[in-house]
Amino acid sequence: MPWPDTAFGLADQAHRVAQRIVAMSDGRIRISFEAGVADGFAAVRRGDADLYFASEHAHVETHRALAYFAGLPGERAVAPHRLAAWMQVGGGQELWDDLAGAFGVKAILAGHSGDAPCLLATRRPAAMKELARAPIAVEGLARDVARGLGVTPRTVDAGGIRQALTNGEVLAVGAGGAITSHTLGILKAAPHAAGTSINKHGSALSLGMSRRFWDGLSPADQAIFAAAATAEYHLALAEESTHRRMLLPRQSANASWPVAQEFARTIRRVADAVVAQVAAADADSQRINASFMGFRAAVSAESDNAVGA
């Protein structure tokens, strides 16, 4: 996993998935952890690990369409329960199997950073021009959106985020939910909220594994892995929602960004362009985008009808 064990919230989710698998297999399957591995996808492909637990945002250099299975930036994203629905009944898992399978990997949803995160910053930009070339720690397609916003995307490992904020290496960070932000000291180092974030609905987390390892499991053991991952996805969202109310105080006018609304509008415009570029990249991306956007439109229409009724 890419986080240290002290990154409570995200690291907890990884350990809980492992504990469930061990318990449900009656100890036949045992899982050991190596923390701080930036690219678990690559480690599994090389044979250095059987499993990874991470966000597919960390793996978009392998294929940019992997971002669909972590959550798109801007208004193209869907809420976590909608993402899970697309995966389970909308054909998303089959498309993920095809894309990741080409690299010898099988992955399933297994956790979440939490819905509606906020970009947290060390100061309050009073005008958009103050953000020009400002360093912001983000990952995945959010890096492309950041460049379109005129800011500088930076990669900072979770264990070093607080120090990077404190020493001015980065102005702002989108590090996940309230639990992780609290335990890593981000809320103290960066008390000013942008009112939004590039990944509007947060980031889904994956339990990924070697395709050979997955195919070698019995159907019963495959069901154990799937059940453990699904249980954690829902628990993580419930836990984050509960702790968010306790750990994130209501933002005062003195803490909120004056440019919050303008920033959100700019994110929407740039993110739409970034997603369009990814969607047109190749045949796999086109299929994934068509499925995701079709499902997104269908559930949006359903919600509109329900409201109208």
Side-chain angles (χ1 to χ4, degrees), residues 48-94:
D48 295 340
D50 296 307
L51 312 169
Y52 69 79
F53 190 90
S55 168
E56 297 304 328
H57 286 310
H59 310 143
V60 295
E61 295 304 316
T62 300
H63 199 291
R64 286 162 63 78
L66 286 170
Y68 283 83
F69 310 108
L72 293 178
E75 296 298 321
R76 297 301 177 185
V78 294
H81 71 284
R82 296 293 193 197
L83 179 64
W86 175 57
M87 299 300 295
Q88 293 166 358
V89 301
Q93 184 65 60
E94 291 78 7

Side-chain angles (χ1 to χ4, degrees), residues 16-43:
R16 287 194 302 244
V17 169
Q19 289 164 2
R20 283 194 195 90
I21 291 170
V22 172
M24 293 167 74
S25 68
D26 200 23
R28 289 184 299 102
I29 301 171
R30 296 186 180 275
I31 299 174
S32 60
F33 282 86
E34 183 176 350
V37 178
D39 193 340
F41 195 101

Side-chain angles (χ1 to χ4, degrees), residues 164-223:
L165 289 163
T166 301
N167 65 21
E169 183 182 341
V170 294
L171 165 68
V173 60
I179 300 173
T180 301
S181 296
H182 174 76
T183 57
L184 292 179
I186 294 170
L187 294 173
K188 291 184 177 180
H192 303 292
T196 187
S197 65
I198 295 176
N199 290 323
K200 179 179 177 181
H201 287 294
S203 301
L205 306 179
S206 311
L207 177 64
M209 61 206 83
S210 160
R211 186 77 211 195
R212 181 178 299 177
F213 173 83
W214 173 258
D215 290 341
L217 293 173
S218 68
D221 284 345
Q222 289 182 352

Side-chain angles (χ1 to χ4, degrees), residues 231-250:
E232 185 55 39
Y233 188 82
H234 296 293
L235 174 58
L237 288 167
E239 182 182 57
E240 176 62 28
S241 176
T242 301
H243 284 79
R244 181 186 180 94
R245 295 182 177 90
M246 294 186 288
L247 297 175
L248 291 181
R250 184 182 297 275

